[in-house]
């Protein structure tokens, strides 16, 4: 079983959405037993907080099931156990480069297989939750198409 971790700044919008979208896609493909899917934060600001309410609503609008979430930081243990860690934007990449100078091929931009997509913006700031979920669905489908 491969472990995939999606990371973003606070683990209350993009990364938990990616986690639940990935779980839904894997279930639809009959591949849920092949992967363990997690999400984590790169900051401590939102630790233990649930998915931000507008993101919950957007996931519901897209029929993506989810459960109570507790934001958590990416730990050294997470890093060591992960096969793939997908980050959302260049700011995430800078933090990763600082914290994990030994960063190897485990870290990937979520758009690695959808390069025309660019960064996945933080909807907490932009308010564009629908756009972010649409982009995550495309990127995550492309990730699983390649795995």
């Amino acid at each position: 079983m491969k472990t995939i971790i999606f990371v973003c700044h606070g683990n209350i919008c993009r990364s938990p959405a990616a986690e639940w979208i990935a779980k839904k896609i894997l279930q639809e493909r009959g591949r849920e037993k092949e992967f363990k899917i997690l999400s984590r934060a790169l900051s401590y600001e939102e630790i233990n907080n649930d998915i931000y309410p507008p993101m919950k609503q957007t996931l519901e609008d897209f029929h993506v099931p989810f459960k109570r979430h507790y934001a958590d930081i990416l730990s050294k243990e997470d890093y060591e156990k992960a096969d793939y860690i997908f980050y959302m934007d260049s700011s995430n990449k800078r933090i990763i480069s600082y914290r994990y100078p030994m960063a190897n091929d485990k870290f990937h931009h979520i758009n690695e297989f959808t390069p025309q997509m660019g960064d996945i913006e933080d909807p907490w700031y932009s308010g564009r939750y629908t756009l972010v979920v649409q982009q995550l669905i495309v990127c995550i489908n492309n990730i699983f198409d390649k795995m």
Side-chain angles (χ1 to χ4, degrees):
M1 178 179 285
K2 293 185 189 290
T3 298
I4 294 175
I5 303 174
F6 294 99
V7 298
C8 69
H9 182 77
N11 192 221
I12 60 167
C13 289
R14 295 172 292 174
S15 59
E19 174 184 353
W20 291 104
I21 290 166
K23 288 176 179 178
K24 180 182 182 197
I25 289 169
L26 288 170
Q27 183 179 28
E28 290 170 349
R29 294 178 179 212
R31 297 182 65 193
E32 64 271 21
K33 292 186 171 136
E34 296 176 39
F35 297 91
K36 180 178 181 179
I37 307 294
L38 304 168
S39 64
R40 297 290 187 261
L42 294 170
S43 81
Y44 290 93
E45 295 168 44
E46 300 289 348
I47 298 304
N48 291 323
N49 287 341
D50 198 1
I51 300 170
Y52 194 53
M55 181 55 82
K56 283 184 180 182
Q57 182 59 56
T58 307
L59 291 172
E60 288 173 0
D61 293 346
F62 279 84
H63 308 288
V64 175
F66 58 89
K67 294 180 182 171
R68 172 65 167 96
H69 173 76
Y70 296 90
D72 199 5
I73 192 110
L74 181 68
S75 69
K76 183 178 181 216
E77 293 78 21
D78 290 329
Y79 168 80
E80 290 169 353
K81 290 178 184 176
D83 294 291
Y84 303 94
I85 301 171
F86 289 98
Y87 58 89
M88 304 292 161
D89 60 33
S90 55
S91 175
N92 297 160
K93 184 178 181 180
R94 279 190 301 278
I95 293 167
I96 288 164
S97 298
Y98 176 75
R99 286 202 190 133
Y100 297 93
M102 73 297 201
N104 57 23
D105 60 350
K106 286 187 183 187
F107 288 104
H108 305 271
H109 196 295
I110 194 162
N111 75 352
E112 184 167 315
F113 304 112
T114 317
Q116 70 277 16
M117 190 72 68
D119 282 350
I120 305 296
E121 69 184 46
D122 191 338
W124 194 88
Y125 297 104
S126 72
R128 299 190 314 177
Y129 295 90
T130 298
L131 173 65
V132 167
V133 169
Q134 290 169 333
Q135 291 175 329
L136 290 171
I137 290 169
V138 170
C139 290
I140 293 166
N141 268 302
N142 288 341
I143 288 167
F144 290 127
D145 285 347
K146 301 293 181 186
M147 289 187 177

